[in-house]
Amino acid sequence: MEKKKTSVYLPHHLIILILLRLPVKYLIRFKCVCKSWFSLISDPHFANSQFQFTTATHTRRIIGLSSLSHEIRSIDVDAWLNDDLPSPNLNFLLPKSYFPFEIIGSCGGFLFLYRFPDIYLWNPSTGFKKQIPVSSFDSNKPHDNLYGFGYDQSRDDYVLVVFSHVSSHLEVFSFPDNTWKEIDGTHIAYVVDPSHRKGFLFNGSIHWLAWRQDLELDVIIVFDLIKRKLIETPIQNDFGGLTLDADSGLWVFGETLSIWILTSDGERMEIWVFKDYKVHLSWNKTLVLSVDFIPDNLNVSPMYSTKNGEIIIVTTDGSILVKYNSKGQLLEHQSFCNSPSKVVMYTESLLSLPGDNE
């Protein structure tokens, strides 16, 4: 006798709880299952809940974008750290009109792309793209400006920042209002290496390395995204005689703000950890990485570190990825981009921008 087939019914709230736990790449595919799933996964509230719910299991990717060949390559960072190396993902679409550009930073799954005088935000996971109106201030002397990108949780607003280290003029872009707003700066002129113009997002603030010529002192300029205020932190450390020039930068080692510096011979990278914002002398040299196997014509910078201390660094042209363990011992390195590329790490998300949810 033929058995009757039984269908399994899952309450709607259980379906939501299951979907919230899934990675973005699967959710994008599951939009095709049925109209109700398409509507649910496309809902901005679901996207926000999923991003918050999966904080501990976010998929982090390194992406390389070539202005020369227009090639785009991406790789799952955690899969590589766990020795499960997927092939670089080429399934990204970006209009050729966006090239060439600089990648200023990433936040919430969005990349801040800058090609004077155009500004774009792009979510590689969803393909969402938005052009931002240019600040009249930025169009005057862009080479004098510092840039940053972050998220203000108190206002549910992503923040673009343009700051002149010469005139101290400061503007932020508000997405709900779709306008630039001027904010009081520091009224101090700084000297900033071109390699340090891209702000580093950490702990709800954007950070830039700079030089106070009047005090002959290295400082970190900090813009608090919630208070919308600039502050300055002196760096009272000689880093063993190494200088904070183009071969240095801000970074997060583990969960702590750090500075990386290449030695003058280019064979080692030192990681100095800032233990306490309030104690300006609390810089400790924590790790030294050997990079002497990197060709002399290529520079390197750190890209990512896990809570366990594993580290990924990348050549600045995106051609080589390198992995170290928590003790700074080289584990492996492999080729990544086939042509010179801009490289950044981002977190996969379904998020949209404020004002684009309607």
Side-chain angles (χ1 to χ4, degrees):
M1 185 175 179
E2 186 178 342
K3 293 183 179 180
K4 291 184 177 180
K5 294 182 179 180
T6 58
S7 59
V8 178
Y9 170 76
L10 284 178
H12 186 64
H13 72 278
L14 285 182
I15 293 176
I16 294 176
L17 288 176
I18 292 171
L19 293 178
L20 285 174
R21 289 169 165 81
L22 297 180
V24 168
K25 63 179 179 180
Y26 296 123
L27 292 172
I28 291 176
R29 296 175 189 171
F30 291 166
K31 280 186 173 184
C32 301
V33 171
C34 59
K35 290 183 179 180
S36 62
W37 281 30
F38 178 87
S39 178
L40 171 64
I41 296 170
S42 301
D43 189 311
H45 298 292
F46 175 86
N48 186 64
S49 297
Q50 191 272 344
F51 191 74
Q52 300 298 329
F53 196 84
T54 59
T55 299
T57 57
H58 279 162
T59 300
R60 297 170 179 83
R61 304 190 71 89
I62 294 176
I63 188 169
L65 303 97
S66 172
S67 294
L68 184 63
S69 67
H70 300 168
E71 178 187 58
I72 300 176
R73 297 174 73 84
S74 173
I75 195 168
D76 185 322
V77 174
D78 296 299
W80 187 39
L81 287 171
N82 294 323
D83 297 318
D84 179 21
L85 181 62
S87 299
N89 189 330
L90 305 178
N91 298 322
F92 295 89
L93 295 177
L94 195 62
K96 291 184 178 180
S97 60
Y98 281 34
F99 296 87
F101 54 76
E102 289 288 330
I103 304 177
I104 301 300
S106 67
C107 179
F110 293 97
L111 304 188
F112 176 0
L113 309 179
Y114 181 80
R115 184 199 63 181
F116 179 78
D118 299 317
I119 293 175
Y120 301 94
L121 289 188
W122 175 48
N123 185 332
S125 301
T126 64
F128 175 90
K129 300 178 287 291
K130 183 179 180 68
Q131 184 171 356
I132 308 302
V134 178
S135 162
S136 58
F137 157 69
D138 184 42
S139 63
N140 294 327
K141 294 183 178 180
H143 298 296
D144 291 341
N145 297 335
L146 311 181
Y147 300 92
F149 178 44
Y151 176 70
D152 177 359
Q153 189 172 7
S154 68
R155 297 177 176 87
D156 185 26
D157 191 9
Y158 288 89
V159 182
L160 301 179
V161 181
V162 178
F163 172 57
S164 171
H165 62 90
V166 177
S167 68
S168 189
H169 186 101
L170 172 65
E171 288 190 2
V172 300
F173 182 80
S174 170
F175 283 90
D177 298 331
N178 200 42
T179 59
W180 290 91
K181 297 180 180 179
E182 184 177 352
I183 294 179
D184 189 39
T186 60
H187 305 292
I188 298 171
Y190 298 95
V191 177
V192 179
D193 188 279
S195 64
H196 298 155
R197 293 173 60 208
K198 303 174 186 178
F200 187 83
L201 179 63
F202 172 72
N203 200 27
S205 298
I206 299 171
H207 302 69
W208 297 273
L209 281 178
W211 171 258
R212 277 283 300 267
Q213 199 160 13
D214 56 333
L215 300 179
E216 296 187 347
L217 182 68
D218 288 304
V219 298
I220 299 176
I221 306 170
V222 183
F223 180 71
D224 189 305
L225 292 167
I226 294 178
K227 296 179 180 178
R228 304 288 170 97
K229 182 181 179 181
L230 277 174
I231 58 176
E232 180 187 286
T233 299
I235 304 177
Q236 297 174 339
N237 194 309
D238 66 358
F239 299 103
L242 298 177
T243 58
L244 300 182
D245 53 16
D247 293 325
S248 64
L250 293 168
W251 187 49
V252 173
F253 179 61
E255 297 181 327
T256 308
L257 184 66
S258 308
I259 286 179
W260 62 271
I261 312 173
L262 286 179
T263 55
S264 57
D265 57 12
E267 295 186 353
R268 299 182 309 282
M269 177 185 291
E270 297 185 358
I271 307 296
W272 293 72
V273 173
F274 195 13
K275 292 297 185 182
D276 190 342
Y277 265 130
K278 299 178 182 178
V279 183
H280 302 154
L281 297 178
S282 61
W283 292 92
N284 294 326
K285 183 164 68 173
T286 305
L287 207 59
V288 178
L289 308 177
S290 175
V291 293
D292 56 356
F293 58 92
I294 300 292
D296 293 339
N297 62 325
L298 297 178
N299 292 324
V300 293
S301 63
M303 182 62 60
Y304 179 61
S305 76
T306 68
K307 292 181 180 180
N308 297 327
E310 293 175 303
I311 296 169
I312 292 178
I313 71 171
V314 62
T315 55
T316 50
D317 69 343
S319 61
I320 303 174
L321 294 175
V322 188
K323 179 166 61 175
Y324 299 85
N325 65 16
S326 59
K327 297 180 181 179
Q329 297 170 330
L330 176 65
L331 297 179
E332 66 173 293
H333 57 85
Q334 72 154 65
S335 59
F336 183 43
C337 297
N338 295 323
S339 60
S341 302
K342 309 295 183 183
V343 181
V344 71
M345 192 179 75
Y346 73 97
T347 301
E348 287 188 341
S349 84
L350 297 169
L351 297 174
S352 55
L353 295 170
D356 289 292
N357 295 338
E358 292 79 4

